[in-house]
Amino acid sequence: MQVLQVQLEVGPDPAEVGRARRWARSRLVGSGIGDDEPVAETLILLISELVTNAVVHTGCPAVLRMRFRPGGAEAGTVRVEVADASACPPRPRHAEGDDTNGRGLELVDGLADRWGWQPEGAGKRIWCEVDRLAPERAPSAYEPAAYEPRPATNGSAYETRPPAGAGGGGARPAYKRSCAVPRPA
């Protein structure tokens, strides 16, 4: 069966996030996913969060990729990947009250059927998958330990969805602040 992969280079400007959303929406419609379908809205929100994280936290260009089978709602899983120039692993945070930042990876965890990250060249690739005919699943509780990188069971380098029945817990590792990619002058 044919798999379609499309990609967009995204500049290091937060205004590029809107362009990425518009581009992704047009590609989804072109693949047979209706603009008003819930899966389209979910994918656009996931793309928005992942591209925003790449652009804002690295200050460098990124590459957005989508993989899917053309053919409408019966066509399986849609995979979204965002590659950036930072080798730093994603660092989920837990937003409090009126905080305006810190919810992105919580949204990804709650909306995607699977997500994770892996090294790519000098940087990394963060990915998520949405099953187009997925049964309703219970919202996941935010458990910071569930985000610790661990060997993936699906052939990827790392994944973050804990195995069924696994709970959170454990200490969070200390991340170096020097992990950020320097912004161009």
Side-chain angles (χ1 to χ4, degrees), residues 56-107:
V56 169
H57 295 297
T58 71
C60 294
V63 176
L64 165 62
R65 294 181 193 105
M66 293 190 308
R67 291 185 199 161
F68 47 87
R69 290 189 183 109
E74 69 283 352
T77 298
V78 178
R79 182 177 177 104
V80 173
E81 301 175 350
V82 176
D84 64 46
S86 171
C88 295
R91 189 173 56 180
R93 299 180 310 165
H94 183 68
E96 300 291 334
D98 293 336
D99 290 350
T100 57
N101 294 313
R103 293 179 176 85
L105 291 177
E106 285 184 67
L107 283 170

Side-chain angles (χ1 to χ4, degrees), residues 6-95:
V6 293
Q7 77 176 36
L8 173 71
E9 292 185 21
V10 180
D13 178 357
E16 288 281 272
V17 176
R19 184 173 75 91
R21 280 192 303 262
R22 290 186 298 277
W23 175 86
R25 189 175 301 278
S26 72
R27 296 316 179 269
L28 291 170
V29 168
S31 77
I33 299 175
D35 194 32
D36 58 348
E37 290 183 44
V39 71
E41 293 303 320
T42 297
L43 287 163
I44 296 302
L45 180 54
L46 289 166
I47 287 164
S48 185
E49 291 301 328
L50 293 179
V51 171
T52 297
N53 284 350
V55 170
V56 169
H57 295 297
T58 71
C60 294
V63 176
L64 165 62
R65 294 181 193 105
M66 293 190 308
R67 291 185 199 161
F68 47 87
R69 290 189 183 109
E74 69 283 352
T77 298
V78 178
R79 182 177 177 104
V80 173
E81 301 175 350
V82 176
D84 64 46
S86 171
C88 295
R91 189 173 56 180
R93 299 180 310 165
H94 183 68

